[in-house]
Amino acid sequence: MPVKSIEEGLPYPLGAHWDGKGTNFALFSANATKVEVCLFDAAGERELSRIELPEYTDQIFHGYLPDIGPGTFYGYRVHGPYHPADGHRFNPNKLLLDPYARAHVGSLNWNPAVFGYKMESGDDLTFDERDSAPFMPKCVIVDPGFDWQGEPGRHDIPWDQTIIYEVHVKGLTKKHPGVPEGLHGTYAGFGSRPMVDYLTALGVTSIELLPIHTFINDNNLLEKKLTNYWGYNTIGFFAPDPRYASDVANSLREFKEMVASLHAGSLEVILDVVYNHTAEGNELGPTLSFKGIDNASYYRLAPDKRYYINDTGTGNTVNLSHPKAIQMVTDSLRYWSDHMHIDGFRFDLGTILAREVTGFDEQSGFLKAVDQDPLLAQVKLIAEPWDVGPGGYQVGGFPPGWAEWNDRFRDTVRDFWRAEADAAQLAPRITASEDLFNHDGRRAWASINFITAHDGFTLNDWASYNDKHNEANGENNRDGSSDNHSWNCGVEGPTDDKAILDLRNRQRRNMLATLLLSQGTPMMLGGDEFGRTQHGNNNAYCQDSDISWFDWNLGTDANDLIAFTKRLIQLRKAYPTLRRSRFLTGQLDETLGIRDVTWINANGNEMQDSEWKDASMQCFGMLLDGRAQKTGIKRRGADQTVLIVMNSYEGLVDFTLPKSDAGSSWSLLVDTNIPDLTSEAPFKFGSQYLVTGRSLLLFAVNAA
């Protein structure tokens, strides 16, 4: 490929950017001595040119190549000291991926040449001279243009109206009969009309996609004929992974078209992002990008700089105390938000992002950078508030503006419905965990409530298995958590016993109802709405197979559960009392003469201290008064009052319906023992309702 003489170019923006006439290359490295950009043929196989970037400004190597444009495959070779003991692992024999690449092509071939040291020796102090380029994926220069056509369906969804649906691009679409041929498992398939119509009809508002940033399949999984299905092994923070593209050459455009299609259905798009570590592993891992560009800047190193701090459990930890690492992550977030029109982010192992050398700090450099950013202030920010490092569990510890996954909600709700948690334990969880989140002006929506997620049992399996069954993962069932807070209802796994099947179905309805009727922000696991099973596998991270793909051959029970889920979502939207943004206090508002929440015992009276201390209290009610103050303005609300009754006891309970000054009688909206409930005559105050063992009820007050 004939290349015109390189020009000086500019040190900003970082990455490879085409301006219509040529491409500017800019790469940060504080410790390198020389950087070369390598250009490849149209197949990405043969290296055609190797050009040194001529300028070095403020730790940025840069240069401009005229006549080089979209579709060009490239990578870097970076020169510098190979002194692992000092934290430096430069090796120009290794082709490196641009941290700011907007697209990739090809996949990693786990040849020993992709390691910076002589891999066969097991000694990372050795230096390997083999060229890794033939075995590496390549970066692609892109045309960033895209006509979003104004996205008339896109609108901001307030937190108190948000219902999140966590799902995998491939898992949802791989086997769906309505997805056009050739688009199964792809961005285009996810954005197809049948999928958008399904999600819209379900009633969820926000689609949270498992990682779609370019990631690497671990060699140990490939050797077992498995794959890194979930994608928590990122190597490129600016590019959608091409494996989900039906047209790999246009993967960037296809991703944008998917987002536009979801927005046209009034659905938000939230990305699960993995900025806490990369796919390069520890000192014995490959040299693919950051390790060879500036290992000492991008990673947290131990006092012995040969080794890595491993607060992630994956071998390395991104150094978010370094300004250029902070810049890379915030640049990535702004790119996805602004250019790719993403509406929010869920941060895997979010505690890592707030770590300084002294540990977790809610005033960390990264959190401050995000807090002051006017663009990121407009998107949803969700932390997974834990990691495996010291002091890593930080639920409730993130600053204002952030929402957090609340695993305390998950575990307590699971325990309640298997009669191993009482009313006193459950009450704070179903009222947005005020004890954890009510500080610094945070709102009830900060608690992301979930009962299941990608990591763990599906809802169906929670009610069907006591123990994990991960044999298909090839780790002798040692992987995955054994602390599942689950109950199989009497038989492990599949059964034909009607009584057990009925109980399992009711338990699934109980869990969904608790999730969708609780204060806070609900997050559903995709497929739970029809009882998707992973056959007891609670760690399907490596299962790109029928274990993870949705089976759309839905029977009667599955369709009934979908209908029930839709009904719950409709009720949540119709009754604002179920989704207050203010934390409930239970205190009498002397001015208005109203309590926002009153806890009711089975006799229809307010619960007493002795009952809260009774570990056997398994049936109780939560009365939410729609007349309570909704905002900081001291005035009555005008919403409908509701009563939720929960019974985790195995037997029937006669529950006396309490009196409410807000109306004259009660209407039954939900009984998880009667999934196809139709409207009935009103229930008088003081009348008794026979509550089925292990069931949930929702009533609304009728106006006087």
Side-chain angles (χ1 to χ4, degrees):
M1 174 189 293
V3 177
K4 289 185 179 180
S5 298
I6 192 166
E7 300 173 7
E8 293 83 356
L10 298 170
Y12 187 85
L14 292 169
H17 291 270
W18 177 63
D19 63 5
K21 297 179 180 179
T23 298
N24 190 81
F25 295 88
L27 181 73
F28 159 75
S29 182
N31 296 292
T33 57
K34 182 172 77 170
V35 172
E36 297 169 304
V37 60
C38 304
L39 306 180
F40 291 82
D41 64 13
E45 297 175 354
R46 187 164 60 92
E47 187 173 336
L48 302 177
S49 303
R50 190 180 299 189
I51 306 123
E52 181 178 353
L53 297 182
E55 290 290 345
Y56 187 58
T57 304
D58 296 333
Q59 300 182 329
I60 309 294
F61 290 87
H62 57 95
Y64 179 89
L65 286 175
D67 300 329
I68 297 298
T72 302
F73 298 162
Y74 75 100
Y76 290 116
R77 297 183 188 274
V78 180
H79 299 250
Y82 188 82
H83 296 152
D86 296 322
H88 301 310
R89 295 179 179 271
F90 296 100
N91 187 335
N93 299 295
K94 310 306 166 185
L95 186 77
L96 304 175
L97 298 175
D98 182 355
Y100 278 72
R102 266 45 173 181
H104 297 97
V105 66
S107 58
L108 179 67
N109 181 333
W110 283 92
N111 186 281
V114 303
F115 293 80
Y117 65 98
K118 295 177 181 177
M119 188 271 289
E120 298 89 342
S121 72
D123 182 1
D124 66 296
L125 298 179
T126 60
F127 184 80
D128 188 85
E129 297 182 354
R130 289 170 286 192
D131 183 8
S132 69
F135 313 105
M136 285 287 293
K138 308 301 185 294
C139 305
V140 187
I141 298 171
V142 303
D143 178 353
F146 184 79
D147 183 4
W148 290 96
Q149 299 179 340
E151 290 195 305
R154 187 186 188 190
H155 61 279
D156 293 332
I157 297 171
W159 267 112
D160 66 326
Q161 298 176 26
T162 299
I163 302 171
I164 299 172
Y165 186 87
E166 188 199 32
V167 70
H168 190 284
V169 167
K170 187 173 185 178
L172 181 75
T173 63
K174 178 64 176 177
K175 300 176 72 175
H176 194 283
V179 171
E181 192 65 31
L183 301 185
H184 292 94
T186 68
Y187 301 126
F190 201 101
S192 66
R193 179 51 50 196
M195 297 314 321
V196 175
D197 287 348
Y198 174 81
L199 295 167
T200 302
L202 186 61
V204 295
T205 68
S206 309
I207 309 304
E208 183 176 305
L209 299 176
L210 264 68
I212 55 81
H213 288 171
T214 302
F215 63 91
I216 297 298
N217 283 322
D218 295 291
N219 189 43
N220 67 307
L221 293 176
L222 295 175
E223 289 176 346
K224 293 188 289 186
K225 301 189 184 306
L226 298 171
T227 185
N228 198 324
Y229 175 71
W230 285 348
Y232 291 92
N233 204 29
T234 306
I235 198 61
F237 297 112
F238 291 79
D241 197 294
R243 77 190 70 198
Y244 301 133
S246 61
D247 180 4
V248 172
N250 292 292
S251 58
L252 183 64
R253 173 170 291 274
E254 184 174 328
F255 181 87
K256 291 177 180 178
E257 289 171 346
M258 177 195 72
V259 172
S261 180
L262 290 167
H263 283 165
S266 298
L267 295 164
E268 287 187 320
V269 182
I270 297 172
L271 297 186
D272 192 336
V273 289
V274 190
Y275 295 115
N276 57 79
H277 75 281
T278 79
E280 292 185 298
N282 60 16
E283 69 277 1
L284 297 179
T287 297
L288 309 176
S289 180
F290 308 92
K291 187 179 288 186
I293 293 171
D294 196 338
N295 185 68
S297 294
Y298 276 117
Y299 293 116
R300 289 195 187 278
L301 302 180
D304 181 346
K305 295 182 179 179
R306 176 182 174 185
Y307 302 105
Y308 297 78
I309 289 175
N310 186 21
D311 289 332
T312 65
T314 65
N316 66 58
T317 304
V318 173
N319 182 16
L320 280 160
S321 294
H322 194 286
K324 286 301 180 183
I326 293 176
Q327 180 187 345
M328 179 189 69
V329 174
T330 53
D331 282 351
S332 171
L333 292 170
R334 282 189 291 266
Y335 172 74
W336 287 97
S337 176
D338 185 31
H339 188 76
M340 305 292 275
H341 288 207
I342 295 303
D343 303 292
F345 303 93
R346 178 266 186 187
F347 295 82
D348 179 63
L349 300 183
T351 297
I352 291 291
L353 307 177
R355 280 194 180 274
E356 298 291 358
V357 293
T358 54
F360 178 84
D361 184 353
E362 67 168 21
Q363 293 298 312
S364 71
F366 172 76
L367 291 180
K368 286 180 179 177
V370 170
D371 184 54
Q372 61 77 46
D373 191 288
L375 179 60
L376 298 181
Q378 301 174 45
V379 301
K380 289 183 165 75
L381 301 174
I382 303 170
E384 181 186 38
W386 50 78
D387 63 24
V388 301
Y393 188 78
Q394 292 292 334
V395 174
F398 275 70
W402 285 76
E404 303 173 40
W405 274 26
N406 186 355
D407 63 334
R408 297 273 293 278
F409 179 93
R410 176 199 62 198
D411 293 349
T412 306
V413 170
R414 288 183 174 195
D415 283 346
F416 178 79
W417 286 115
R418 60 195 190 117
E420 296 197 16
D422 57 28
Q425 293 168 291
L426 184 65
R429 302 301 149 239
I430 60 177
T431 51
S433 296
E434 183 268 349
D435 56 325
L436 301 174
F437 295 101
N438 189 10
H439 59 85
D440 298 315
R442 299 183 79 181
R443 295 293 185 140
W445 53 254
S447 175
I448 302 293
N449 300 331
F450 65 103
I451 50 175
T452 53
H454 67 276
D455 187 2
F457 279 148
T458 65
L459 179 57
N460 177 85
D461 292 357
W462 169 82
S464 303
Y465 295 91
N466 285 346
D467 303 306
K468 62 185 180 182
H469 295 269
N470 298 352
E471 291 80 6
N473 296 355
E475 300 179 41
N476 295 317
N477 208 36
R478 292 194 299 266
D479 64 302
S481 175
S482 296
D483 185 21
N484 295 294
H485 301 262
S486 63
W487 179 44
N488 64 19
C489 299
V491 172
E492 187 76 354
T495 181
D496 294 325
D497 188 306
K498 186 178 184 305
I500 290 176
L501 292 175
D502 287 346
L503 176 56
R504 288 177 177 178
N505 285 334
R506 191 163 68 252
Q507 287 285 73
R508 287 192 280 270
R509 293 191 292 270
N510 290 335
M511 291 280 277
L512 285 169
T514 307
L515 173 67
L516 290 165
L517 302 180
S518 290
Q519 304 293 311
T521 302
M523 184 191 78
M524 294 178 55
L525 173 63
D528 277 354
E529 72 274 16
F530 60 77
R532 182 176 74 90
T533 180
Q534 292 179 171
H535 311 289
N537 192 320
N538 75 349
N539 190 34
Y541 76 102
C542 57
Q543 294 297 331
D544 189 0
S545 67
D546 283 336
I547 290 175
S548 298
W549 303 337
F550 288 23
D551 182 356
W552 291 100
N553 293 312
L554 305 181
T556 301
D557 285 349
N559 281 305
D560 287 347
L561 191 57
I562 289 176
F564 182 76
T565 304
K566 288 181 178 179
R567 172 69 173 153
L568 290 172
I569 291 174
Q570 290 166 358
L571 290 168
R572 182 176 182 86
K573 293 179 177 180
Y575 290 85
T577 318
L578 297 169
R579 45 182 175 83
R580 296 294 199 204
S581 64
R582 291 165 63 93
F583 287 100
L584 305 176
T585 68
Q587 301 299 312
L588 178 65
D589 185 320
E590 299 287 353
T591 303
L592 302 180
I594 294 169
R595 277 195 176 92
D596 50 15
V597 59
T598 303
W599 302 96
I600 307 296
N601 62 25
N603 295 323
N605 300 315
E606 185 174 353
M607 287 177 60
Q608 302 302 306
D609 287 345
S610 59
E611 293 171 308
W612 284 115
K613 297 173 183 177
D614 184 355
S616 65
M617 174 60 76
Q618 295 173 303
C619 182
F620 69 103
M622 178 172 69
L623 193 156
L624 301 170
D625 198 320
R627 302 169 301 161
Q629 181 180 339
K630 292 179 63 174
T631 71
I633 299 173
K634 190 66 102 172
R635 64 186 175 200
R636 282 195 174 197
D639 298 323
Q640 207 159 352
T641 294
V642 299
L643 171 68
I644 301 172
V645 178
M646 310 176 80
N647 178 24
S648 65
Y649 176 59
E650 64 183 357
L652 296 167
V653 173
D654 279 322
F655 195 96
T656 301
L657 299 178
K659 181 179 182 296
S660 170
D661 294 337
S664 59
S665 60
W666 294 104
S667 286
L668 180 63
L669 303 178
V670 172
D671 183 339
T672 57
N673 188 50
I674 313 173
D676 54 353
L677 177 72
T678 56
S679 59
E680 297 183 8
F683 292 85
K684 294 180 179 180
F685 294 152
S687 62
Q688 289 191 324
Y689 190 96
L690 196 59
V691 185
T692 303
R694 299 194 177 95
S695 69
L696 180 148
L697 313 174
L698 173 66
F699 294 89
V701 78
N702 298 309

